[in-house]
Amino acid sequence: AQSVTQPDIHITVSEGASLELRCNYSYGATPYLFWYVQSPGQGLQLLLKYFSGDTLVQGIKGFEAEFKRSQSSFNLRKPSVHWSDAAEYFCAHGGTGGFKTIFGAGTRLFVKA
Amino acid sequence: EAGVTQSPTHLIKTRGQQATLRCSPISGHTSVYWYQQALGLGLQFLLWYDEGEERNRGNFPPRFSGRQFPNYSSELNVNALELEDSALYLCASSPGSSGRWTGELFFGEGSRLTVL
């Protein structure tokens, strides 16, 4: 079955430190890939998306992600984390033919001063 | 351009009652999705409506139902409420299955349902 795996349930980083959130997907063809962010009690906001082309995509709020087909990964990165980045992050993929977007379980990011 | 709007923001019900949640998609979007996000359980797919019809549903009992209106807005009904139905219910919209499907979803802010 198609799936998205986010291996880290939660991550704590210091403010100003770099961040990498991991995401692996299982899908034979090139999927459409997304990262969403959710602040507590809020809806999901799209950070960035990958459809095709350049495998390094830039998003909002200084985030970027790199698609690596050989590793079936789409990891999210940020060079310097701000306290306001504390939230839950969801990786997702679509284009599975069933018109159903598959979400990972999410990674909760804590930022310490 | 208005985003996806959901109402009510918060809803408190007691066990056995019925809850109705509403969602208006982005203008031009014909697909509406409903997700349940209970504490610690991630996003659980509930229902997908497109062009007025239910196209897919997740692994939820029949007391979770809904519909999509001609203007593509949607409502989610939860009958015979149980305590474990307490959750954030998220609605999302997309351009629909007739165009290029990418899986990109546009989310509302959610409706928080509390069952006492």
Side-chain angles (χ1 to χ4, degrees):
Chain A
Q2 293 147 357
S3 65
V4 174
T5 302
Q6 294 180 247
D8 304 303
I9 297 173
H10 52 78
I11 282 182
T12 301
V13 299
S14 298
E15 191 169 16
S18 63
L19 171 70
E20 182 169 34
L21 301 183
R22 296 182 291 164
C23 172
N24 293 96
Y25 63 91
S26 67
Y27 183 59
T30 299
Y32 301 120
L33 293 162
F34 310 92
W35 274 100
Y36 289 87
V37 61
Q38 184 183 32
S39 297
Q42 304 291 311
L44 276 68
Q45 179 184 22
L46 182 69
L47 278 176
L48 46 78
K49 58 189 176 186
Y50 173 77
F51 289 173
S52 65
D54 192 346
T55 56
L56 185 64
V57 293
Q58 302 297 320
I60 62 171
K61 305 185 180 187
F63 285 91
E64 68 177 25
E66 185 172 13
F67 170 63
K68 292 186 177 180
R69 181 192 302 276
S70 62
Q71 298 176 20
S72 297
S73 70
F74 188 57
N75 294 348
L76 181 72
R77 301 193 295 247
K78 187 170 185 178
S80 178
V81 168
H82 188 262
W83 64 266
S84 60
D85 294 323
E88 185 138 28
Y89 292 80
F90 292 92
C91 181
H93 82 68
T96 64
F99 302 106
K100 185 171 155 185
T101 303
I102 309 295
F103 285 87
T107 297
R108 179 162 295 280
L109 173 66
F110 297 94
V111 180
K112 60 181 181 181
Chain B
E1 180 183 291
V4 176
T5 58
Q6 292 187 243
S7 64
T9 306
H10 294 89
L11 188 60
I12 300 175
K13 294 284 187 179
T14 57
R15 285 175 56 192
Q17 286 188 313
Q18 178 197 38
T20 298
L21 309 176
R22 296 179 178 83
C23 172
S24 292
I26 289 173
S27 177
H29 286 187
T30 63
S31 276
V32 170
Y33 298 78
W34 288 96
Y35 287 84
Q36 182 195 64
Q37 189 177 29
L39 197 61
L41 291 182
L43 289 162
Q44 305 295 316
F45 168 72
L46 262 168
L47 290 159
W48 169 39
Y49 292 95
D50 184 53
E51 299 281 358
E53 296 194 14
E54 181 181 305
R55 302 291 188 178
N56 200 359
R57 68 179 291 129
N59 188 25
F60 281 84
R63 57 191 187 82
F64 286 84
S65 65
R67 54 179 170 166
Q68 187 178 34
F69 300 98
N71 66 353
Y72 304 116
S73 66
S74 175
E75 68 179 28
L76 172 69
N77 296 294
V78 187
N79 295 317
L81 285 165
E82 300 179 2
L83 296 178
E84 53 264 34
D85 297 332
S86 294
L88 182 67
Y89 289 84
L90 292 166
C91 173
S93 74
S94 77
S97 57
S98 59
R100 177 196 181 200
W101 169 255
T102 66
E104 182 175 359
L105 299 179
F106 299 80
F107 284 85
E109 293 298 308
S111 292
R112 170 75 61 187
L113 172 63
T114 302
V115 182
L116 303 175

